[in-house]
Amino acid sequence: MLAAATFSHGHELSENAVGNAIGQDAYRTHRSSGEIRPDYGENGLNFDLGEEQRLLRDMLSRFGADRYDPAKRLTYLREPDGFARDNWAALAEAGVLAFALPEAAGGFGGSDSDIIIAMETLGNVTAVEPMLACVIMGIGALWQSGTESQRKRVIPELVAGRRFAALAVYERESRYRSDNPRAVVERRGESFVLSGTKQTVLGGPFATDLVVSARADGSGETGLYLVDARSPGLAFHHYRLADGSAASDIDFASVPVEPMDGGADALRSVLRQARLAICAELVGLMARMFDETLEYLKTREQFGKPLGSFQAIQHRMADCYTKLELSRSQLYRAAGMRANNSSPHSSAHGAKAFIARNAIHIGEEAVQLHGGIGTTEELLVGQAFKRVFTLASLMGDVDTEISRYIALSGASDGPMASG
């Protein structure tokens, strides 16, 4: 299957090559009992939502309807942290901040389906709350790699909205790779200290707790370490990303840390879920940009007719709709791979490459079909497109994700498999 795709040296790929590389199996269907369903195993993938999943989706939809419009969203982004603390407190009070945790920890379940339902809904309302940074990555890292003591001490404060956890993984020298950090932890008596630099730490400006990847001095083994963000020896360099969200580069100079139980495997699991969450948010953003554009084309007139009545415009919108639905199929496929124990990491890389490229295309079409006003912050389309651009590059751009997909699928022995 993969051999059918031809890749140039610079990864200048056609859309057909990208589709083939990410997997023809994503679109295979078979007929069973008179219905078409995705080929995700003997029993297929169940698309029906459970009662709690419906409640989660409806709760987040109401949250967006009550608290969001283009002007309010810009107001939230201009807050010191890039979001409104009142909104975060409301989500915490409703128990939403625990949606990525298993039921044993007081969460909604923490399954892949729970994550994509929540993140797609948040993408559709273009929410600015740091769910990806602080819930999927921050709380997720603490749950999957924290000691029992660390979990009991920190996670209840995080889901109550009183503290914020951020995951510090990436470094300038390693680009998008996470498997070989240069940050190092050394033992000093009965304690441990960490030195190094991390960049693009989402949520860094307001984080109270940091989960940091580093290699152990001597063994070189990659591990995760819990850091109090108020510790001496920390130097933060805060900035905003293209979409207005807050991030930091952080220097660690002999900063005291607590070792965590999880290592490289736990980190890969957290990053896989983060990649899945990015895909889900992108699908939600794509749907919102499509719907906003469709409504605009029904009302904006040119030559005495609605723009949507012209066949060329209809063809472009049909193409966007196809890309949206194919992207949603890729998202569901990637979410179903872990349940079938079937290359969940490679499918997440492939889905992100495919969905990110389609999201950028739909964003470009939405802006162009709106005309000059589509580039302004007055409309939600322009704001959503900035978020799309940011998410498409997080953890790896399209070319990087394709390279990782190839490596993890066994079609290449290149060095890009980690991340």
Side-chain angles (χ1 to χ4, degrees), residues 142-155:
L142 269 160
W143 175 254
Q144 294 201 40
S145 61
T147 65
E148 191 65 26
S149 173
Q150 291 165 346
R151 288 179 176 180
K152 289 181 178 179
R153 185 177 81 244
V154 181
I155 288 181

Side-chain angles (χ1 to χ4, degrees), residues 66-284:
D66 293 343
R67 295 174 182 257
Y68 271 86
D69 61 36
K72 288 179 180 178
R73 187 177 186 276
L74 289 177
T75 301
Y76 301 151
L77 283 174
R78 293 183 183 121
E79 292 283 335
D81 299 326
F83 67 97
R85 293 286 183 122
D86 289 346
N87 286 349
W88 192 253
L91 291 171
E93 185 177 355
V96 174
L97 301 187
F99 78 84
L101 289 171
E103 293 181 5
F108 281 77
S111 67
D112 286 352
S113 58
D114 295 326
I115 289 172
I116 66 173
I117 288 164
M119 296 304 294
E120 183 178 349
T121 306
L122 289 168
N124 194 260
V125 303
T126 64
V128 300
E129 285 71 33
M131 287 293 192
L132 175 65
C134 297
V135 175
I136 303 297
M137 300 175 80
I139 294 178
L142 269 160
W143 175 254
Q144 294 201 40
S145 61
T147 65
E148 191 65 26
S149 173
Q150 291 165 346
R151 288 179 176 180
K152 289 181 178 179
R153 185 177 81 244
V154 181
I155 288 181
E157 294 291 301
L158 297 174
V159 298
R162 292 187 290 268
R163 291 167 72 164
F164 297 86
L167 181 62
V169 173
Y170 296 106
E171 301 175 0
R172 189 176 306 277
E173 295 83 357
S174 59
R175 288 265 311 160
Y176 297 117
R177 296 188 65 185
S178 62
D179 60 330
N180 188 27
R182 295 197 177 187
V184 62
V185 167
E186 57 180 314
R187 188 174 194 129
R188 292 187 182 174
E190 296 300 317
S191 60
F192 297 85
V193 295
L194 184 150
S195 297
T197 301
K198 297 293 180 178
Q199 68 172 13
T200 319
V201 180
L202 304 180
F206 50 86
T208 57
D209 302 273
L210 302 170
V211 178
V212 188
S213 65
R215 58 184 174 84
D217 187 30
S219 69
E221 184 177 349
T222 298
L224 293 175
Y225 300 86
L226 184 61
V227 180
D228 187 330
R230 299 162 297 183
S231 298
L234 284 171
F236 289 83
H237 310 277
H238 305 319
Y239 51 89
R240 295 296 182 100
L241 300 178
D243 65 331
S245 59
S248 300
D249 293 345
I250 308 176
D251 297 322
F252 299 80
S254 298
V255 177
V257 300
E258 296 179 38
M260 304 176 77
D261 284 345
D265 289 342
L267 178 59
R268 277 192 292 270
S269 179
V270 172
L271 294 180
R272 190 200 73 85
Q273 284 200 325
R275 215 167 247 109
L276 197 64
I278 289 173
C279 290
E281 187 175 350
L282 282 171
V283 169

